[in-house]
Amino acid sequence: QTLGDRSLESLAHYIKDAPAWRIVVMCGAGISTAAGIPDFRSPGTGLYDNLARLNLPYAEAVFDIEYFRKHPEPFYYLAKELYPGKFHPTISHAFIALLAKKGRLLMNFTQNIDCLERRAGVPADKIVEAHGSFATQRCIECRTPFPDDDMLDHVQREVVPRCKDRSCGGLVKPDIVFFGEALPSAFRDASHLPAMADLVIVMGTSLSVYPFAGLPEYAQPHVPRLLLNKERVGRMGYRPDDVLELGPCDAGIRRLAALLGWSEELEALWRG
Ligand code: OAD
């Protein structure tokens, strides 16, 4: 056992005194719910429970590439609601940026497509957007990129964008990874990093979509893993050095920051 016990206090000592320099953060939609973006699977409030109005054959179809080819409209209806720009990072995002600022962030793997890690100040080379993002878009047939301002215009007017090359005319889709599509090469290129970490932090994810959900298992057996989530997920808690901080992740982050003596710095970074 690396930690004295499985408390957040012991983990804070480990970060400060060990000290942990190669921290890998793995996050999901739960870190953005406090920013006003729904997650996917929380009963009642999650996106998948609220798609009845879109008449989908099953909820995840809205992010399925084969379904999109035939029916792009439901996705574009949702895209308008989810489009980045109107949301602000949470204190949990700011904590990731603080780790980077302190030179302790080895990598932030995120499943989120909201770009809030970047907005919070996490450097681009420290983020792996495993499921892509809304930042860029292209034709799904000829792969030609589509301009950002045109995309915003289409999304706002709820008009499905099409490839500007008239001989192609294919559907344009943000570079979000849909079910049925491969993950970006950046994910593969960075997938050796969890095994090099001296601390793994898992935040706001149900760990239900692979291969992302397998990442925490790549941590070395003696390496502490911290879960900040409303519920216990995956195999978090099965190892002697797993620390579970169950509840809203912003509250857990504030508690951890206080134990580290980083509260003021964190709040200042968050307020910008
Ligand atoms: P989920 O909706 O599956 O899981 C969100 C998790 O965060 C749940 O365990 C919630 O209990 C928890 N949660 C919600 N709000 C929280 C809060 N304020 N504090 C702490 N925990 C909170 O979202 P993801 O795990 O991100 O993929 O979903 C993974 C993938 O499934 C997504 O990237 C998306 C989706 O289908 C694609 O679309 C390809």
Side-chain angles (χ1 to χ4, degrees):
Q1 194 160 357
T2 304
L3 302 177
D5 57 44
R6 294 158 64 121
S7 68
L8 202 62
E9 285 78 4
S10 286
L11 190 87
H13 277 299
Y14 172 79
I15 296 176
K16 266 199 305 199
D17 306 334
W21 289 109
R22 297 189 307 274
I23 302 177
V24 170
V25 178
M26 304 163 185
C27 57
I31 71 165
S32 295
T33 53
I37 306 173
D39 67 7
F40 297 91
R41 296 179 181 80
S42 281
T45 57
L47 213 49
Y48 292 149
D49 260 4
N50 289 284
L51 297 178
R53 58 204 154 113
L54 298 182
N55 287 318
L56 299 162
Y58 56 99
E60 292 180 351
V62 71
F63 295 116
D64 184 292
I65 190 66
E66 292 314 321
Y67 184 79
F68 178 82
R69 276 179 203 284
K70 289 182 221 116
H71 310 284
E73 299 82 10
F75 169 75
Y76 275 101
Y77 183 79
L78 262 196
K80 187 176 181 182
E81 281 179 40
L82 298 179
Y83 213 70
K86 49 185 171 181
F87 303 106
H88 296 284
T90 65
I91 198 94
S92 296
H93 293 98
F95 185 79
I96 308 172
L98 183 60
L99 291 177
K101 197 174 157 209
K102 290 182 175 293
R104 290 171 178 257
L105 183 68
L106 182 60
M107 194 54 77
N108 173 202
F109 290 86
T110 182
Q111 296 162 96
N112 298 346
I113 54 178
D114 54 31
C115 305
L116 288 184
E117 297 84 3
R118 302 186 207 189
R119 276 193 79 169
V122 183
D125 65 349
K126 293 286 177 193
I127 307 173
V128 173
E129 286 168 330
H131 294 167
S133 85
F134 271 109
T136 53
Q137 53 281 320
R138 68 196 68 242
C139 170
I140 63 170
E141 305 300 340
C142 71
R143 316 300 297 166
T144 303
F146 189 82
D148 294 351
D149 46 350
D150 275 5
M151 183 68 180
L152 185 59
D153 178 60
H154 279 78
V155 167
Q156 277 168 349
R157 290 188 295 120
E158 284 179 51
V159 178
V160 176
R162 295 232 166 222
C163 186
K164 285 181 184 291
D165 180 345
R166 291 230 176 107
S167 63
C168 175
L171 291 163
V172 169
K173 178 180 85 53
D175 293 330
I176 294 170
V177 179
F178 275 31
F179 292 107
E181 290 189 303
L183 267 54
S185 55
F187 180 82
R188 259 196 326 277
D189 295 347
S191 56
H192 62 291
L193 294 175
M196 295 168 62
D198 49 23
L199 171 64
V200 164
I201 301 179
V202 177
M203 287 205 277
T205 172
S206 62
L207 289 181
S208 48
V209 175
Y210 283 83
F212 192 101
L215 288 178
E217 299 312 308
Y218 295 146
Q220 302 290 342
H222 62 277
V223 162
R225 304 187 305 177
L226 168 64
L227 174 70
L228 293 154
N229 208 55
K230 279 194 176 158
E231 52 179 355
R232 184 168 161 178
V233 292
R235 296 185 57 79
M236 297 298 296
Y238 282 60
R239 296 187 184 181
D241 292 302
D242 282 354
V243 176
L244 305 183
E245 180 72 10
L246 301 184
C249 54
D250 285 353
I253 282 294
R254 282 202 161 95
R255 213 161 88 72
L256 177 60
L259 291 167
L260 289 165
W262 296 355
S263 298
E264 273 179 38
E265 215 180 335
L266 176 64
E267 299 285 342
L269 185 70
W270 185 44
R271 295 211 173 83

